Amino acid sequence: MKSTFKKLLPFAFVGILSGATTVGVQQYLSHNSNNVDESYFTKSTNASFVGMNTANVGDDFVKASKTTVPAVVTIKNYQNRASSRASDQDLFDFFFGDPFGGKGQQRQKQQQQQQTPENIPSGLGSGVIISPDGYIISNNHVVAGANKLEVVLSNKKSYIATLVGTDPNTDISLLKIEEKGLPFLNFANSDNVEVGQWVLAVGNPLGLNSTVTAGIISAKGRGIGILSGQGKATNPIESFIQTDAAINPGNSGGALVNVNGDLIGINSAISSTNGYYQGYGFAVPANLARKIIEDIKKFGIVQRGFLGVNSLDLSNDQQVAYYNKEKKTNLKTGSGVYITGLPDNSGAQDAGMKVGDIITKIDGANITDFADLSIAIGSKRPGDKVQVTYSRNGKDITSTVTLKDQKGGTSTRTKADLTVTEKIGAEFQSLDDRTKAYYGLNSGIVAKNVIEGSEMAKAGIVDNYIITDINGKPVNSQKDVENLLNKFTGTVQIKYMDDYGRNYTRGFKMP
């Protein structure tokens, strides 16, 4: 009996310590975007990116650690000044918080961009080897804005990685290093994880390599508003696994594993008032992460199916109160997702769904909030069919909905099917005559919706920069860009002006 007590005493202490440090997640209300499959979504101000049911739990921790640590890597993000400035997601802020507040944050960014030598990484994160031939999964925000990515294994061997693809909507990225016989982790079925289950978080917090922390799954299906609030996601999928295993800046992209050492999530964020661990960490579920990287490997881009609805999360009383005030309605809080709008020719509209319907189930699984709907639909591809159960005037109806992409298509696409602007990762707006006259320009277009990690972003271009020439020819419309670069191969040269009126010439290889 004494022996058993001694074995359990350390875990009792861990539980007490974890409970003592736990803090509440704070979310604040903001306006809903007009994208389909969006909710009246809360943007988080306190969240920041970062990264065992058995008697012999201690032995299982050791086994899981020995399995996991060799497969978790350090990722160093190198940026030049232009690409550092181009990213709205400054890596220093993600990994180390903002101790100086707004003005201090801006000053610190400027100082870091001016003083950091090119051979010093702008940020550090983690990644997980998922195949013996060198594929590595991480977060999108870990690799954002990089012109070089260095991967360091747990044995200190270093490699320059190729960025295969990214998805800001799930905060997942896929990298590749040229090596064979690497240790790797297997994906577990994250749908089967249970609240209260023991887990380990493995990564490189605060620059401390190969750090293992233990805790439990404290919740599932969490939406914290971070991807739309702080990231570049236009249609975020947030249904995080929440854990009280200690996760700190630098853990981003690391592994959340069960006691068998199987990957159940990719550590991505913390909820904190000071930028460091205060009790709650969040991981992208393994099933969603696996779907994203399978798409990237097979198609070169993420295949995303949309139900085609604008929506309101009825489980969030603040969102409902705001909607009622704005729309002069009297909706009641409860379970489910209320349809506030349906774009023409959407899958939901084709299936007969209407404004005012309340979605309660997808393929028989309960939909209690927007996070449930987000992952149930967001993990599907265009052309997939889902059974949607919704309540209309108190009566339950089930319809079959064929999901579509954002252009209304029901087929999968490859990079070859993309338009020029989709390939280079930006849209463009014609420059008005007044602005041309102000800057003394004869031509120009304004960059809009620049995608994080895209070719345009890597060239240093952000929203509202003015592009005057492409490959030596003036551009005055998005159609000009399409005509110049359609079927073009090789290096693209772009001349542009930043918001201070400074001129640059940059280039990229046409994807």
Side-chain angles (χ1 to χ4, degrees), residues 48-192:
S48 60
F49 288 119
V50 290
M52 218 130 7
N53 303 313
T54 169
N56 298 318
V57 71
D59 292 338
D60 286 331
F61 281 175
V62 173
K63 293 176 183 176
S65 298
K66 288 182 177 179
T67 299
T68 307
V69 166
V72 175
V73 303
T74 299
I75 297 176
K76 298 181 180 181
N77 180 312
Y78 296 85
Q79 303 184 28
N80 58 33
R81 292 181 185 180
S83 64
S84 292
R85 193 192 183 290
S87 175
D88 290 335
Q89 299 175 277
D90 188 86
L91 288 172
F92 187 89
D93 298 326
F94 284 128
F95 297 149
F96 298 102
D98 177 20
F100 304 103
K103 293 184 178 179
Q105 177 182 4
Q106 183 178 4
R107 182 169 62 253
Q108 191 171 15
K109 286 182 182 181
Q110 294 172 348
Q111 290 173 347
Q112 189 181 21
Q113 291 157 13
Q114 293 169 359
Q115 297 175 3
T116 302
E118 290 188 0
N119 63 339
I120 300 296
S122 299
L124 298 173
S126 304
V128 182
I129 304 173
I130 55 172
S131 68
D133 58 345
Y135 280 100
I136 297 168
I137 189 171
S138 185
N139 288 136
N140 173 68
H141 75 263
V142 168
V143 303
N147 60 10
K148 183 176 76 171
L149 292 165
E150 181 183 1
V151 169
V152 182
L153 306 188
S154 62
N155 62 8
K156 308 304 180 185
K157 291 188 67 174
S158 177
Y159 304 80
I160 299 302
T162 299
L163 181 60
V164 182
T166 66
D167 180 36
N169 288 314
T170 55
D171 194 32
I172 290 296
S173 63
L174 181 65
L175 295 77
K176 178 74 165 61
I177 60 174
E178 297 306 317
E179 187 58 277
K180 297 180 180 179
L182 293 170
F184 65 96
L185 297 186
N186 293 311
F187 284 95
N189 184 351
S190 56
D191 290 342
N192 292 338

Side-chain angles (χ1 to χ4, degrees), residues 439-480:
Y439 286 108
L441 301 174
N442 295 317
S443 63
I445 52 177
V446 181
K448 296 291 183 182
N449 301 319
V450 179
I451 297 173
E452 189 71 36
S454 67
E455 300 303 326
M456 296 295 286
K458 286 186 282 189
I461 296 171
V462 300
D463 286 358
N464 299 318
Y465 277 17
I466 296 173
I467 297 168
T468 58
D469 298 84
I470 294 180
N471 287 345
K473 297 182 179 180
V475 287
N476 289 289
S477 67
Q478 182 160 302
K479 187 176 181 180
D480 288 347

Side-chain angles (χ1 to χ4, degrees), residues 371-405:
D372 289 341
L373 179 65
S374 172
I375 196 166
I377 299 299
S379 58
K380 304 289 185 181
R381 298 184 173 98
D384 287 350
K385 299 181 185 297
V386 294
Q387 298 295 313
V388 181
T389 301
Y390 50 94
S391 175
R392 178 183 295 169
N393 299 323
K395 180 182 178 181
D396 286 341
I397 303 171
T398 299
S399 298
T400 300
V401 179
T402 301
L403 304 182
K404 299 182 178 182
D405 62 25

